[in-house]
Amino acid sequence: MWKQEKAMLSVKGTFQNGVVHPNEPIEGHEGQSVIIVFLEENPTPGPATPEDSDWDKLRQLIKNCAVDTDIGDLAHQHDHYLYGMPKRES
């Protein structure tokens, strides 16, 4: 059996005295189920997420593994240095 995906409609509004008041008129959705998500106006930054610390670890690993070759055009001319091909024009 195929499950039909339903489109979601996002509407901003305010919550007062236990009732949601949309900022714009909504027609054709009477009796339909809703999900209410509360947005923080000025969210405070939380602690670093695991993803952030993983990126920091990767940056540190790259920094630790960097080798100073004194070859300024190594990235651009890597075929020349690796395989002896003629240098590419800049």
Side-chain angles (χ1 to χ4, degrees):
M1 174 186 267
W2 293 95
K3 181 178 176 183
Q4 184 179 3
E5 295 293 324
K6 296 182 181 179
M8 293 182 63
L9 171 68
S10 295
V11 178
K12 287 191 172 186
T14 55
F15 186 74
Q16 296 173 329
N17 299 321
V19 179
V20 175
H21 301 277
N23 290 349
E24 57 191 70
I26 304 170
E27 296 178 11
H29 297 282
E30 194 67 32
Q32 197 169 355
S33 297
V34 299
I35 297 173
I36 299 171
V37 177
F38 292 92
L39 304 174
E40 289 187 41
E41 294 295 326
N42 296 317
T44 56
T49 63
E51 293 92 17
D52 291 340
S53 63
D54 288 343
W55 284 112
D56 291 337
K57 289 176 187 175
L58 177 60
R59 285 186 197 97
Q60 188 61 48
L61 177 64
I62 292 170
K63 186 177 178 181
N64 292 346
C65 294
V67 176
D68 186 9
T69 62
D70 290 325
I71 303 173
D73 63 350
L74 180 59
H76 182 67
Q77 301 292 350
H78 63 276
D79 286 332
H80 169 72
Y81 295 110
L82 291 173
Y83 309 115
M85 298 182 73
K87 282 192 170 186
R88 295 189 290 175
E89 293 184 28
S90 297

